[in-house]
Amino acid sequence: MSEAKSLTAPLEPGATIGILGGGQLGRMLAEAAIDLGLKTHIYSDERDAPAFQIADEATYGRYDDEKALEAFARTCAVVTFEFENVPTATAEFLSRLVPMAPSPRALQIAQDRFLEKSFVAGLGIATAAFRDVANEEDARAAFRTLGAAAILKTRRLGYDGKGQQKVRSEDEAARAFVQFGAVPAILEDFVDFSYEASVVAARGRDGAFAAYDPPKNEHENHILRRSTVPSPLQNEKAAEAIVIARRIAEALDYVGVLGVELFVGADGTLTVNEIAPRVHNSGHWTIEACATSQFAQHLRAVAGWPLDDPSRHSDAVMENIIGDEVTSWMGMTEPPEGLHLYGKGEPRPGRKMAHITRTKPRS
Ligand code: AMP
């Protein structure tokens, strides 16, 4: 098996960055690339991926189509991804043809909740107590050792609350495991938090690290509704959250932007919920409110360029526009500054269709 390719020099202006995945994150990366004079080539298995509309090149192909992946790799100076469920085999295959950032290892850890929590806990960083669940008996035994309320989560392919269920007894834990198709899972303690926050940060190829101000995140029906800066996470607590993200990024030898989702307890205790090895929905406000957006910063990191200034010049509230809410923006009485429509077709329930960021001068 040949070695993973590494980037030997910073990308020249005009070089092409390949992006696996063509959703809104890929689209906003492609938009940011325009101002940096970089080109993008989007690879997606969705025929009308929103990012195809913006990118310089587009490939519609399956993630196991080696011929199509090879042809894609030949056009790219470096490849990144915009969703964490890229099959590991695809990432490994591509990384032998073209430099890839973040690494397939970061992807592999982040896409499996057991590996992810074990990795974070192994660094001495607090997570909810958790147990691996491979069968119904494990689910019962795990419930007995955890608290009175727990959450069963599939190890893989969970997002926006999919593949997870709160359980209050051994029976419920075993039933949830079966309901999800008896696939590998974890059971974790229900964390009694006061609010949720995240650190969105970048690490460059030279090890430089730049974090954004941590937003407070509010969810509805398990989907992010709103991110607000400034958040109640301030001063030493914000610094502590940023140190957590930095330690994770360094331990992964991470290159690019990552999101670290945190629970904040009433006493300020920080518990890591998950790592997103990509630009993050809770960082969309950085487009309007920061010197450099998370999208530009990710491209800079991946390109081997120096990171830019993440400082925040405005207060901001970012709201997701979900499902058929997308039709209501036209009736807004205020000018829709900060409105980003993703160019998606059908507004299915729960589908992120757009977001809006409202800013005010920094308080
Ligand atoms: P996740 O898919 O792990 O990001 O979880 C989605 C949402 O479910 C989180 O943002 C929390 O609101 C909630 N949640 C997940 N895990 C826990 C937990 N261990 N305790 C309490 N709430 C949780």
Side-chain angles (χ1 to χ4, degrees):
M1 201 160 79
S2 52
E3 291 273 297
K5 289 252 190 264
S6 52
L7 196 71
T8 47
L11 296 199
E12 304 273 345
T16 298
I17 297 190
I19 302 172
L20 292 167
Q24 63 270 19
L25 301 179
R27 182 179 167 106
M28 288 185 272
L29 284 168
E31 285 170 343
I34 294 171
D35 276 345
L36 294 175
L38 291 164
K39 297 199 175 75
T40 48
H41 185 166
I42 302 283
Y43 189 107
S44 170
D45 66 352
E46 276 179 68
R47 190 180 292 281
D48 36 311
F52 284 169
Q53 300 160 16
I54 312 281
D56 298 275
E57 281 184 82
T59 299
Y60 164 58
R62 290 199 325 264
Y63 290 113
D64 61 357
D65 182 343
E66 294 194 350
K67 271 217 167 73
L69 290 169
E70 237 177 284
F72 166 70
R74 269 199 298 275
T75 69
C76 303
V78 61
V79 168
T80 186
F81 43 86
E82 61 97 73
F83 73 115
E84 66 256 42
N85 291 322
V86 172
T88 318
T90 307
E92 279 168 358
F93 176 78
L94 278 173
S95 71
R96 290 193 289 272
L97 302 175
V98 60
M100 172 172 276
S103 66
R105 178 170 167 255
L107 186 68
Q108 191 180 21
I109 291 174
Q111 65 186 207
D112 179 324
R113 291 186 194 276
F114 180 71
L115 297 183
E116 176 183 57
K117 287 222 152 61
S118 303
F119 176 78
V120 173
L123 296 175
I125 296 168
T127 66
F130 65 101
R131 297 282 181 281
D132 196 16
V133 172
N135 53 47
E136 282 179 72
E137 188 37 45
D138 282 353
R140 290 176 181 281
F143 189 86
R144 285 195 296 272
T145 60
L146 297 174
I151 302 193
L152 188 99
K153 298 181 176 180
T154 57
R155 278 177 63 161
R156 306 176 66 85
L157 300 176
Y159 67 99
D160 287 349
K162 292 187 178 66
Q164 63 170 275
Q165 194 175 315
K166 189 169 178 183
V167 295
R168 289 183 188 76
S169 69
E170 282 185 46
D171 280 350
E172 277 186 22
R175 224 175 300 135
F177 174 76
V178 173
Q179 250 169 34
F180 288 140
V183 295
I186 60 169
L187 191 74
E188 68 179 47
D189 240 343
F190 189 81
V191 178
D192 185 19
F193 56 81
S194 156
Y195 64 93
E196 293 182 71
S198 55
V199 177
V200 176
R203 186 164 179 272
R205 291 192 187 268
D206 57 357
F209 185 81
Y212 292 100
D213 200 0
K216 172 181 172 179
N217 301 321
E218 296 165 78
H219 294 79
E220 284 170 18
N221 305 317
H222 293 284
I223 300 173
L224 182 67
R225 165 57 74 186
R226 192 173 300 106
S227 290
T228 305
V229 278
S231 74
L233 201 63
Q234 289 296 321
N235 307 320
E236 314 82 69
K237 278 288 154 190
E240 189 185 326
I242 289 168
V243 167
I244 287 174
R246 183 170 195 155
R247 289 182 54 213
I248 292 172
E250 285 176 355
L252 290 169
D253 197 16
Y254 194 88
V255 172
V257 165
L258 86 169
V260 177
E261 299 177 15
L262 299 156
F263 300 134
V264 187
D267 61 354
T269 310
L270 301 177
T271 307
V272 170
N273 178 35
E274 64 177 358
I275 310 167
R278 52 170 171 76
V279 286
H280 197 254
N281 195 170
S282 72
H284 289 1
W285 54 271
T286 59
I287 297 175
E288 280 80 12
C290 294
T292 309
S293 77
Q294 63 163 346
F295 301 100
Q297 196 74 302
H298 181 72
L299 295 171
R300 296 182 74 92
V302 163
W305 294 3
L307 297 183
D308 209 338
D309 176 10
S311 63
R312 179 170 69 78
H313 51 68
S314 299
D315 291 358
V317 179
M318 184 289 309
E319 287 197 322
N320 276 333
I321 298 177
I322 297 164
D324 57 17
E325 291 165 6
V326 71
T327 52
S328 63
W329 70 269
M330 285 181 276
M332 282 178 184
T333 49
E334 55 186 307
E337 273 173 44
L339 175 67
H340 300 255
L341 290 155
Y342 302 151
K344 292 185 182 179
E346 208 196 329
R348 291 190 293 273
R351 193 175 194 202
K352 291 173 182 164
M353 300 299 292
H355 77 264
I356 185 159
T357 300
R358 296 180 174 88
T359 56
K360 308 193 278 221
R362 195 178 161 129
S363 52

